Amino acid sequence: MVCSLLGCVDCAAAQSAPQTGAEAFILMDAGSGRVLTGKNTERELAIASTTKIMTALVALETGNLSDKVTVKQNHLKEGSSMYLRAGEVLTLEELLYGLLLPSGNDAAECIADHCSGVERFVARMNEKAAALGMTHTSFANPSGLDAQGHYSCALDMARLAAYAMREPTFARIAATRTAAVGERMLGNHNKLLASLEGCTGLKTGYTDNAGRTLVTCCERDGMRLIAVTLNDRSDWADHAALYEYGFAAFARKRAVARGEEYTLAPVRGGTQTSVSLAAGESFFYPVTAGEELLVSARLPEELTAPLAAGQAVGELIVSMDGEELARVPLVCAEPVAAAEKTQSLFERLFGRTG
């Protein structure tokens, strides 16, 4: 049984999306995955040190922050560096700061070698990419140095960034502007942390082949957006313009509220004849002018007692312009006990037979 429950929501005024100088770019809502604007979003390109977003995630999944790691000579790679010295010992957490703030290629190699060996670590990076649905991505090293078979696309990197920012330790480090590691004072290469309202990360990159690459995250009024530009000489200005557009043109609307009662369902064999059904979780979605979110309920024709509070018995379907956006479980807002069976006169007089 399906019934419509919700009509139109108020939306922000529409405005034109900005153009960028990037070969490929995307602006995405982190919560829902909705693409707000973009160009060449699935074009496979070199991504330089934005690779280190995945390096940090795999390190957090395979190592412990307190691990003691010894630096080896072969960890000291070309390019950006946190200036490690062979023989010194740092914790994995300190290396992660060196990885994400000054974008240390030496930190990337040291982390990968410690966690599982570089070759196996890179395999884990690709396994994680596959698990996240990054179908246009392949990693060949943990640093992002130019290599055959090392590429991604704007859409995949936005999905990776949205996932990464839900990891508390990653989010904390990526938002850090400066950090002391021993005698070193590390500065974050992401200057938008200091100049853009609501910016909370994420990662810069550059190689001759990739050009300037940048993945950032910005949050205002509870809405978290991700911007990615690949091969973009004007990346700082372009990211700022993308966020100004995104936050002005779209509003984060709650289509479904957790715990809110939406409908009644009939109950058979219970101490009451119906039960209130409520949303098991909330669902938010970014909308712009003229867009309408619709919610419909799908539930059985009849429920049978006993029923427990919080028991899933149906679902709410959120859609827009005929496209399904999400399914949210409908749960019993209260318990319903089974009614005691009424005995016949014969059973009351002579008891059960058989």
mmCIF file of all heavy atoms in Angstrom, residues 1-32:
data_model
loop_
_atom_site.group_PDB
_atom_site.id
_atom_site.type_symbol
_atom_site.label_atom_id
_atom_site.label_comp_id
_atom_site.label_asym_id
_atom_site.label_seq_id
_atom_site.Cartn_x
_atom_site.Cartn_y
_atom_site.Cartn_z
ATOM 1 N N MET A 1 0.858 -1.192 0.000
ATOM 2 C CA MET A 1 0.000 0.000 0.000
ATOM 3 C C MET A 1 0.891 1.237 0.000
ATOM 4 O O MET A 1 1.834 1.339 0.791
ATOM 5 C CB MET A 1 -0.898 0.003 1.234
ATOM 6 C CG MET A 1 -1.811 1.207 1.340
ATOM 7 S SD MET A 1 -3.005 1.045 2.685
ATOM 8 C CE MET A 1 -1.957 0.949 4.114
ATOM 9 N N VAL A 2 0.663 2.192 -0.909
ATOM 10 C CA VAL A 2 1.459 3.407 -1.009
ATOM 11 C C VAL A 2 0.532 4.607 -0.896
ATOM 12 O O VAL A 2 -0.509 4.659 -1.537
ATOM 13 C CB VAL A 2 2.221 3.461 -2.353
ATOM 14 C CG1 VAL A 2 3.006 4.749 -2.450
ATOM 15 C CG2 VAL A 2 3.138 2.261 -2.494
ATOM 16 N N CYS A 3 0.936 5.582 -0.067
ATOM 17 C CA CYS A 3 0.147 6.816 0.034
ATOM 18 C C CYS A 3 1.076 8.011 0.071
ATOM 19 O O CYS A 3 2.175 7.939 0.604
ATOM 20 C CB CYS A 3 -0.742 6.803 1.269
ATOM 21 S SG CYS A 3 0.125 6.570 2.820
ATOM 22 N N SER A 4 0.664 9.140 -0.537
ATOM 23 C CA SER A 4 1.471 10.353 -0.565
ATOM 24 C C SER A 4 1.303 11.114 0.735
ATOM 25 O O SER A 4 0.202 11.215 1.266
ATOM 26 C CB SER A 4 1.049 11.230 -1.747
ATOM 27 O OG SER A 4 1.821 12.406 -1.781
ATOM 28 N N LEU A 5 2.436 11.664 1.239
ATOM 29 C CA LEU A 5 2.384 12.308 2.551
ATOM 30 C C LEU A 5 2.846 13.758 2.553
ATOM 31 O O LEU A 5 2.485 14.519 3.430
ATOM 32 C CB LEU A 5 3.278 11.527 3.530
ATOM 33 C CG LEU A 5 2.894 10.056 3.772
ATOM 34 C CD1 LEU A 5 3.940 9.403 4.635
ATOM 35 C CD2 LEU A 5 1.531 9.956 4.433
ATOM 36 N N LEU A 6 3.709 14.146 1.615
ATOM 37 C CA LEU A 6 4.342 15.448 1.712
ATOM 38 C C LEU A 6 4.298 16.177 0.381
ATOM 39 O O LEU A 6 4.455 15.567 -0.669
ATOM 40 C CB LEU A 6 5.804 15.280 2.154
ATOM 41 C CG LEU A 6 6.619 16.541 2.418
ATOM 42 C CD1 LEU A 6 6.089 17.259 3.643
ATOM 43 C CD2 LEU A 6 8.080 16.186 2.635
ATOM 44 N N GLY A 7 4.123 17.500 0.438
ATOM 45 C CA GLY A 7 4.090 18.285 -0.781
ATOM 46 C C GLY A 7 5.365 19.083 -0.982
ATOM 47 O O GLY A 7 6.451 18.647 -0.693
ATOM 48 N N CYS A 8 5.193 20.302 -1.478
ATOM 49 C CA CYS A 8 6.333 21.137 -1.850
ATOM 50 C C CYS A 8 7.024 21.742 -0.627
ATOM 51 O O CYS A 8 6.415 21.970 0.399
ATOM 52 C CB CYS A 8 5.844 22.257 -2.770
ATOM 53 S SG CYS A 8 7.150 23.274 -3.462
ATOM 54 N N VAL A 9 8.341 21.998 -0.751
ATOM 55 C CA VAL A 9 9.079 22.702 0.288
ATOM 56 C C VAL A 9 9.582 24.019 -0.291
ATOM 57 O O VAL A 9 9.775 24.153 -1.491
ATOM 58 C CB VAL A 9 10.282 21.869 0.798
ATOM 59 C CG1 VAL A 9 9.799 20.615 1.468
ATOM 60 C CG2 VAL A 9 11.242 21.520 -0.328
ATOM 61 N N ASP A 10 9.780 25.012 0.571
ATOM 62 C CA ASP A 10 10.298 26.295 0.116
ATOM 63 C C ASP A 10 11.757 26.135 -0.304
ATOM 64 O O ASP A 10 12.524 25.413 0.314
ATOM 65 C CB ASP A 10 10.225 27.329 1.244
ATOM 66 C CG ASP A 10 8.790 27.674 1.582
ATOM 67 O OD1 ASP A 10 7.934 27.583 0.681
ATOM 68 O OD2 ASP A 10 8.532 28.018 2.751
ATOM 69 N N CYS A 11 12.176 26.840 -1.357
ATOM 70 C CA CYS A 11 13.517 26.677 -1.899
ATOM 71 C C CYS A 11 14.209 28.028 -2.040
ATOM 72 O O CYS A 11 13.582 29.071 -2.076
ATOM 73 C CB CYS A 11 13.460 26.011 -3.272
ATOM 74 S SG CYS A 11 12.501 24.483 -3.280
ATOM 75 N N ALA A 12 15.535 27.970 -2.150
ATOM 76 C CA ALA A 12 16.314 29.185 -2.345
ATOM 77 C C ALA A 12 16.139 29.690 -3.779
ATOM 78 O O ALA A 12 15.766 28.958 -4.681
ATOM 79 C CB ALA A 12 17.790 28.891 -2.071
ATOM 80 N N ALA A 13 16.423 30.954 -3.961
ATOM 81 C CA ALA A 13 16.334 31.531 -5.298
ATOM 82 C C ALA A 13 17.398 30.928 -6.209
ATOM 83 O O ALA A 13 18.522 30.690 -5.806
ATOM 84 C CB ALA A 13 16.520 33.046 -5.213
ATOM 85 N N ALA A 14 17.036 30.665 -7.468
ATOM 86 C CA ALA A 14 17.964 30.065 -8.418
ATOM 87 C C ALA A 14 18.985 31.104 -8.884
ATOM 88 O O ALA A 14 18.693 32.288 -8.980
ATOM 89 C CB ALA A 14 17.196 29.511 -9.610
ATOM 90 N N GLN A 15 20.201 30.636 -9.207
ATOM 91 C CA GLN A 15 21.193 31.495 -9.816
ATOM 92 C C GLN A 15 22.096 30.629 -10.675
ATOM 93 O O GLN A 15 22.118 29.408 -10.541
ATOM 94 C CB GLN A 15 22.008 32.262 -8.774
ATOM 95 C CG GLN A 15 22.922 31.398 -7.902
ATOM 96 C CD GLN A 15 23.716 32.229 -6.934
ATOM 97 O OE1 GLN A 15 23.175 32.769 -5.991
ATOM 98 N NE2 GLN A 15 25.023 32.338 -7.154
ATOM 99 N N SER A 16 22.823 31.270 -11.571
ATOM 100 C CA SER A 16 23.633 30.529 -12.521
ATOM 101 C C SER A 16 24.877 29.961 -11.856
ATOM 102 O O SER A 16 25.512 30.613 -11.012
ATOM 103 C CB SER A 16 24.042 31.430 -13.686
ATOM 104 O OG SER A 16 22.893 31.900 -14.366
ATOM 105 N N ALA A 17 25.243 28.750 -12.246
ATOM 106 C CA ALA A 17 26.465 28.132 -11.731
ATOM 107 C C ALA A 17 27.675 28.826 -12.337
ATOM 108 O O ALA A 17 27.659 29.221 -13.504
ATOM 109 C CB ALA A 17 26.474 26.654 -12.081
ATOM 110 N N PRO A 18 28.748 28.993 -11.566
ATOM 111 C CA PRO A 18 29.941 29.655 -12.087
ATOM 112 C C PRO A 18 30.714 28.771 -13.050
ATOM 113 O O PRO A 18 30.625 27.543 -12.995
ATOM 114 C CB PRO A 18 30.760 29.926 -10.819
ATOM 115 C CG PRO A 18 30.357 28.826 -9.887
ATOM 116 C CD PRO A 18 28.903 28.573 -10.160
ATOM 117 N N GLN A 19 31.464 29.363 -13.915
ATOM 118 C CA GLN A 19 32.397 28.644 -14.772
ATOM 119 C C GLN A 19 33.759 28.586 -14.064
ATOM 120 O O GLN A 19 34.059 29.421 -13.216
ATOM 121 C CB GLN A 19 32.547 29.344 -16.119
ATOM 122 C CG GLN A 19 31.243 29.435 -16.895
ATOM 123 C CD GLN A 19 30.669 28.068 -17.209
ATOM 124 O OE1 GLN A 19 31.369 27.193 -17.710
ATOM 125 N NE2 GLN A 19 29.389 27.882 -16.912
ATOM 126 N N THR A 20 34.557 27.593 -14.382
ATOM 127 C CA THR A 20 35.893 27.490 -13.788
ATOM 128 C C THR A 20 36.919 27.287 -14.896
ATOM 129 O O THR A 20 36.567 26.980 -16.035
ATOM 130 C CB THR A 20 35.989 26.293 -12.815
ATOM 131 O OG1 THR A 20 36.096 25.070 -13.564
ATOM 132 C CG2 THR A 20 34.792 26.229 -11.872
ATOM 133 N N GLY A 21 38.182 27.427 -14.530
ATOM 134 C CA GLY A 21 39.264 27.167 -15.474
ATOM 135 C C GLY A 21 39.748 25.737 -15.427
ATOM 136 O O GLY A 21 40.762 25.403 -16.055
ATOM 137 N N ALA A 22 39.037 24.872 -14.703
ATOM 138 C CA ALA A 22 39.482 23.498 -14.510
ATOM 139 C C ALA A 22 39.181 22.632 -15.720
ATOM 140 O O ALA A 22 38.175 22.822 -16.405
ATOM 141 C CB ALA A 22 38.802 22.909 -13.285
ATOM 142 N N GLU A 23 40.054 21.648 -15.954
ATOM 143 C CA GLU A 23 39.762 20.657 -16.985
ATOM 144 C C GLU A 23 38.554 19.811 -16.582
ATOM 145 O O GLU A 23 37.764 19.397 -17.422
ATOM 146 C CB GLU A 23 40.981 19.757 -17.217
ATOM 147 C CG GLU A 23 40.796 18.769 -18.339
ATOM 148 C CD GLU A 23 42.066 17.997 -18.666
ATOM 149 O OE1 GLU A 23 43.131 18.322 -18.099
ATOM 150 O OE2 GLU A 23 41.984 17.053 -19.485
ATOM 151 N N ALA A 24 38.421 19.563 -15.288
ATOM 152 C CA ALA A 24 37.254 18.856 -14.747
ATOM 153 C C ALA A 24 36.986 19.392 -13.354
ATOM 154 O O ALA A 24 37.917 19.726 -12.617
ATOM 155 C CB ALA A 24 37.504 17.356 -14.699
ATOM 156 N N PHE A 25 35.692 19.502 -12.993
ATOM 157 C CA PHE A 25 35.371 19.960 -11.642
ATOM 158 C C PHE A 25 34.015 19.435 -11.242
ATOM 159 O O PHE A 25 33.211 18.981 -12.071
ATOM 160 C CB PHE A 25 35.411 21.492 -11.547
ATOM 161 C CG PHE A 25 34.215 22.189 -12.147
ATOM 162 C CD1 PHE A 25 33.112 22.521 -11.364
ATOM 163 C CD2 PHE A 25 34.187 22.523 -13.496
ATOM 164 C CE1 PHE A 25 32.013 23.166 -11.903
ATOM 165 C CE2 PHE A 25 33.093 23.171 -14.054
ATOM 166 C CZ PHE A 25 32.000 23.489 -13.255
ATOM 167 N N ILE A 26 33.743 19.525 -9.930
ATOM 168 C CA ILE A 26 32.445 19.115 -9.399
ATOM 169 C C ILE A 26 32.178 19.861 -8.102
ATOM 170 O O ILE A 26 33.114 20.196 -7.364
ATOM 171 C CB ILE A 26 32.402 17.592 -9.154
ATOM 172 C CG1 ILE A 26 30.963 17.090 -8.989
ATOM 173 C CG2 ILE A 26 33.243 17.201 -7.954
ATOM 174 C CD1 ILE A 26 30.848 15.563 -9.004
ATOM 175 N N LEU A 27 30.914 20.138 -7.842
ATOM 176 C CA LEU A 27 30.440 20.608 -6.539
ATOM 177 C C LEU A 27 29.352 19.636 -6.115
ATOM 178 O O LEU A 27 28.358 19.475 -6.827
ATOM 179 C CB LEU A 27 29.898 22.038 -6.620
ATOM 180 C CG LEU A 27 29.365 22.617 -5.301
ATOM 181 C CD1 LEU A 27 30.515 22.828 -4.311
ATOM 182 C CD2 LEU A 27 28.630 23.943 -5.543
ATOM 183 N N MET A 28 29.530 18.987 -4.962
ATOM 184 C CA MET A 28 28.621 17.919 -4.534
ATOM 185 C C MET A 28 28.193 18.126 -3.093
ATOM 186 O O MET A 28 28.980 18.586 -2.260
ATOM 187 C CB MET A 28 29.328 16.563 -4.662
ATOM 188 C CG MET A 28 28.431 15.359 -4.468
ATOM 189 S SD MET A 28 29.350 13.785 -4.607
ATOM 190 C CE MET A 28 30.015 13.687 -2.939
ATOM 191 N N ASP A 29 26.934 17.800 -2.815
ATOM 192 C CA ASP A 29 26.454 17.777 -1.443
ATOM 193 C C ASP A 29 26.952 16.501 -0.780
ATOM 194 O O ASP A 29 26.682 15.394 -1.259
ATOM 195 C CB ASP A 29 24.924 17.831 -1.424
ATOM 196 C CG ASP A 29 24.366 17.687 -0.015
ATOM 197 O OD1 ASP A 29 24.670 18.531 0.836
ATOM 198 O OD2 ASP A 29 23.626 16.700 0.216
ATOM 199 N N ALA A 30 27.668 16.648 0.336
ATOM 200 C CA ALA A 30 28.299 15.490 0.961
ATOM 201 C C ALA A 30 27.291 14.537 1.573
ATOM 202 O O ALA A 30 27.503 13.318 1.568
ATOM 203 C CB ALA A 30 29.294 15.948 2.034
ATOM 204 N N GLY A 31 26.192 15.061 2.084
ATOM 205 C CA GLY A 31 25.226 14.219 2.768
ATOM 206 C C GLY A 31 24.438 13.315 1.836
ATOM 207 O O GLY A 31 24.281 12.120 2.089
ATOM 208 N N SER A 32 23.959 13.865 0.737
ATOM 209 C CA SER A 32 23.104 13.112 -0.180
ATOM 210 C C SER A 32 23.823 12.601 -1.408
ATOM 211 O O SER A 32 23.341 11.708 -2.101
ATOM 212 C CB SER A 32 21.943 14.003 -0.633
ATOM 213 O OG SER A 32 22.424 15.085 -1.423
#
